[in-house]
Amino acid sequence: MQLLWNNKVVIFDRTDFGPSNLSLPPHLCRHDPRDLALEIDCTAHSLLYCVDTNTFRPLKVQTDTWCSSGSVLPNGTLTQTGGFNDGDHVLRMFTPCDDYNCDWVEFPGYLSQRRWYASNQILPDGRIIIVGGRQQFNYEFYPRSSRGSNLYTLDFLRETRDANENNLYPFLHLLPDGNLFIFANTRSISLDYKRNRVVQEFPPITGGEPRNYPSSGSSVLLPINESQAIEAEVLVCGGAPPGAVSQALRGNFVSASLTCGRLKVTDENPNWVMEEMPVARVMGDMLLLPTGDVIIINGARLGTAGWEYGRSPVTNSVIYRPFGDVNQRFLVMSGSIRPRMYHSSAVLLPDGRILVGGSNPHIYYNFTNVLYPTDLSLEAYSPPYTSPAFSSLRPHILSQDENLRYGQSFSVVFNVCEYTNDRVLSANIVAPSFTTHTVAMNQRMVVLRVESVMQEAGNRYRLSVVGPSTPEIAPPGYYMLFVVHSGIPSPGTWVKIH
């Protein structure tokens, strides 16, 4: 799933399991002699969901997007890369529109290597780096370089592959110095991708438990605060022990990882600081909330990612407060009635809710006579800050500059019924994630520097805020802007950073 700047969410699934339950418009059938299920398929394997109206329409994706990756370009176009079979070298684009005419546009053979289980990250110059994939120990860029090769070897990916792989969908985070943090299996590095040089290797995560697919944990870069000395801290939570896949193949579903690790990569001598979650979790999605807290949602207590490899769904989400007291950082939330396991997904919405969808731990769609039936539904989780009890503290943005410049001031006008004080006020921008297989690619939060707060009239206030200082702090593109007051965020509005 990917949220776009017009409050629509692109959702897609693989094409090679046969027809879906959503028909394509007349005369738009897929004709694909290489498809593994149907050469002629008149059903959709992608759709566009409108958050505002709770409606959707089918989209036509031509080639197989199974286990692919994506990023949004600075102009708002979703650029989606790779997949399986006839889709593994394909680049696809979806550009949002105000009518019903926009659809996927595909570029077969654009990628230099097969990208199946790869990860993407938007870069300060607006390019996208595409890292790894099954048996791919390298990376490339979109758009291609006009100077020489577009393919670069990364031995780190080969070194982190074990008997069960556990280095697929590596975690990528753009660091404030412009280098790329890459985590695979239990190890992590800082990569200068401009010179194809590993700048630093960090200590392995404590405990030796793999965190990447199929031992799928999740990771976020904690919020970057422009009002303080710039720090970059990575959080990794969940996963599965070594050999969990081999055990699951024998019907033994071992306990998932119970731990989270934090690594402040900007420290002189970074080391992992470990914490325990309230419950072990594998296949959990981890998303940044507008408040700067982190939600961990979906997943299982036992087993690992893969078809039929997970047991004991975790239906309670957990909110992690990274800057709270050490022993009081995890809050267990109410549960869903629906297991969300392998092939489920989650994204943050502008109103602060979490859109959750899918779950299919089977090779095909199985709705009956299985332990965890295929679930094609969407639901939204409302964090505590959405409660009507906080209405008087909730700000509402009335107006703001829609186009932000690096390092330049801009104004945000908002109202709030019960203003507390300036110390509990912040302006936060969040980049929406491309979420698949517990990896929320490109998500990012920056706490902007507030210059002044002025009461204009009654409950109306004007914030003077400074845009992000550099594209390394916040790459160009669309972000959701939230005003947070006393821990309660406003509904988000869209801004574009140039």
Side-chain angles (χ1 to χ4, degrees):
M1 296 200 290
Q2 172 73 60
L3 174 68
L4 303 173
W5 62 266
N6 59 354
N7 289 351
K8 292 181 171 60
V9 181
V10 174
I11 303 174
F12 56 85
D13 200 352
R14 48 190 282 224
T15 66
D16 61 352
F17 59 83
S20 75
N21 291 330
L22 179 62
S23 296
L24 287 167
H27 313 299
L28 276 183
C29 295
R30 293 172 58 246
H31 295 264
D32 187 352
R34 294 183 58 195
D35 192 90
L36 299 179
L38 290 173
E39 181 175 337
I40 299 177
D41 185 356
C42 297
T43 63
H45 300 277
S46 178
L47 62 83
L48 188 66
Y49 172 71
C50 180
V51 177
D52 298 333
T53 62
N54 194 33
T55 58
F56 59 89
R57 68 176 177 91
L59 300 175
K60 181 183 177 181
V61 62
Q62 176 67 24
T63 52
D64 198 351
T65 57
W66 181 23
C67 302
S68 52
S69 51
S71 293
V72 176
L73 292 172
N75 67 358
T77 293
L78 171 58
T79 301
Q80 200 273 323
T81 47
F84 181 66
N85 188 33
D86 62 346
D88 59 8
H89 283 68
V90 176
L91 181 137
R92 307 170 191 86
M93 289 188 168
F94 182 87
T95 300
C97 62
D98 294 328
D99 54 28
Y100 293 94
N101 294 322
C102 45
D103 209 332
W104 287 104
V105 177
E106 304 201 11
F107 301 88
Y110 187 94
L111 301 173
S112 61
Q113 297 293 318
R114 179 196 203 199
R115 298 299 171 190
W116 193 30
Y117 298 95
S119 295
N120 294 13
Q121 173 65 51
I122 189 76
L123 298 175
D125 60 5
R127 291 185 300 163
I128 296 166
I129 188 170
I130 307 156
V131 179
R134 179 158 279 165
Q135 295 288 345
Q136 296 299 329
F137 313 116
N138 50 62
Y139 61 93
E140 62 182 292
F141 297 91
Y142 173 82
R144 295 170 178 156
S145 172
S146 58
R147 302 185 301 274
S149 173
N150 192 47
L151 186 68
Y152 301 86
T153 299
L154 185 58
D155 289 334
F156 169 75
L157 294 176
R158 188 185 305 274
E159 296 164 5
T160 51
R161 185 180 186 274
D162 64 24
N164 293 143
E165 296 183 296
N166 287 325
N167 69 339
L168 301 179
Y169 279 128
F171 304 143
L172 308 181
H173 301 297
L174 178 67
L175 299 177
D177 63 4
N179 292 324
L180 187 68
F181 177 88
I182 306 177
F183 185 105
N185 201 319
T186 62
R187 294 169 54 190
S188 53
I189 59 172
S190 175
L191 175 70
D192 180 349
Y193 53 84
K194 296 178 181 177
R195 297 177 176 84
N196 191 29
R197 181 170 64 94
V198 175
V199 176
Q200 183 176 5
E201 176 153 5
F202 302 102
I205 193 167
T206 306
E209 292 178 315
R211 309 290 177 147
N212 296 87
Y213 186 91
S215 294
S216 298
S218 194
S219 177
V220 298
L221 178 68
L222 292 176
I224 298 173
N225 194 333
E226 291 259 51
S227 298
Q228 305 171 359
I230 297 299
E231 295 180 339
E233 188 169 11
V234 171
L235 174 69
V236 175
C237 290
V245 170
S246 300
Q247 292 286 333
L249 282 167
R250 294 193 287 269
N252 181 28
F253 303 97
V254 299
S255 177
S257 174
L258 188 63
T259 61
C260 292
R262 290 173 64 158
L263 182 71
K264 192 173 290 186
V265 297
T266 44
D267 278 355
E268 187 174 347
N269 295 298
N271 279 292
W272 290 96
V273 177
M274 306 303 292
E275 298 178 69
E276 286 194 355
M277 298 183 288
V279 62
R281 193 181 305 244
V282 66
M283 297 181 285
D285 288 291
M286 194 150 63
L287 297 171
L288 292 163
L289 297 175
T291 56
D293 294 338
V294 179
I295 189 168
I296 310 172
I297 196 167
N298 303 336
R301 290 181 177 86
L302 303 176
T304 185
W307 287 322
E308 317 296 346
Y309 291 169
R311 294 292 187 274
S312 187
V314 183
T315 57
N316 292 84
S317 59
V318 170
I319 289 181
Y320 176 74
R321 299 180 295 185
F323 308 110
D325 294 338
V326 173
N327 296 322
Q328 300 178 8
R329 288 179 176 167
F330 290 99
L331 301 174
V332 179
M333 300 289 104
S334 58
S336 168
I337 62 171
R338 297 177 179 273
R340 301 285 185 178
M341 300 175 68
Y342 192 41
H343 292 137
S344 59
S345 193
V347 293
L348 173 68
L349 297 178
D351 60 11
R353 296 177 302 158
I354 306 299
L355 181 67
V356 179
S359 184
N360 186 30
H362 318 293
I363 296 179
Y364 301 106
Y365 282 3
N366 290 338
F367 299 100
T368 57
N369 301 320
V370 289
L371 189 58
Y372 305 112
T374 300
D375 193 322
L376 303 182
S377 68
L378 292 175
E379 61 183 323
Y381 172 72
S382 298
Y385 54 67
T386 62
S387 170
F390 300 117
S391 295
S392 63
L393 297 173
R394 181 170 295 109
H396 292 269
I397 296 174
L398 303 176
S399 66
Q400 91 285 331
D401 296 336
E402 295 181 357
N403 292 281
L404 310 186
R405 301 288 178 179
Y406 290 103
Q408 294 188 10
S409 299
F410 68 98
S411 293
V412 181
V413 178
F414 69 95
N415 64 12
V416 62
C417 291
E418 294 183 20
Y419 187 78
T420 309
N421 60 67
D422 297 357
R423 296 189 303 276
V424 293
L425 190 70
S426 65
N428 303 340
I429 55 172
V430 181
S433 64
F434 177 96
T435 306
T436 185
H437 291 76
T438 80
V439 182
M441 303 177 197
N442 307 291
Q443 75 166 329
R444 192 176 197 83
M445 173 182 285
V446 180
V447 180
L448 299 176
R449 182 164 63 88
V450 175
E451 292 181 309
S452 63
V453 187
M454 182 177 65
Q455 185 174 11
E456 291 193 331
N459 297 327
R460 180 184 172 114
Y461 297 82
R462 180 178 294 271
L463 269 177
S464 178
V465 187
V466 180
S469 54
T470 69
E472 288 76 22
I473 297 288
Y478 285 92
Y479 290 73
M480 291 175 280
L481 169 68
F482 298 91
V483 173
V484 181
H485 170 251
S486 293
I488 308 302
S490 69
T493 59
W494 289 99
V495 295
K496 186 178 183 182
I497 299 176
H498 300 266

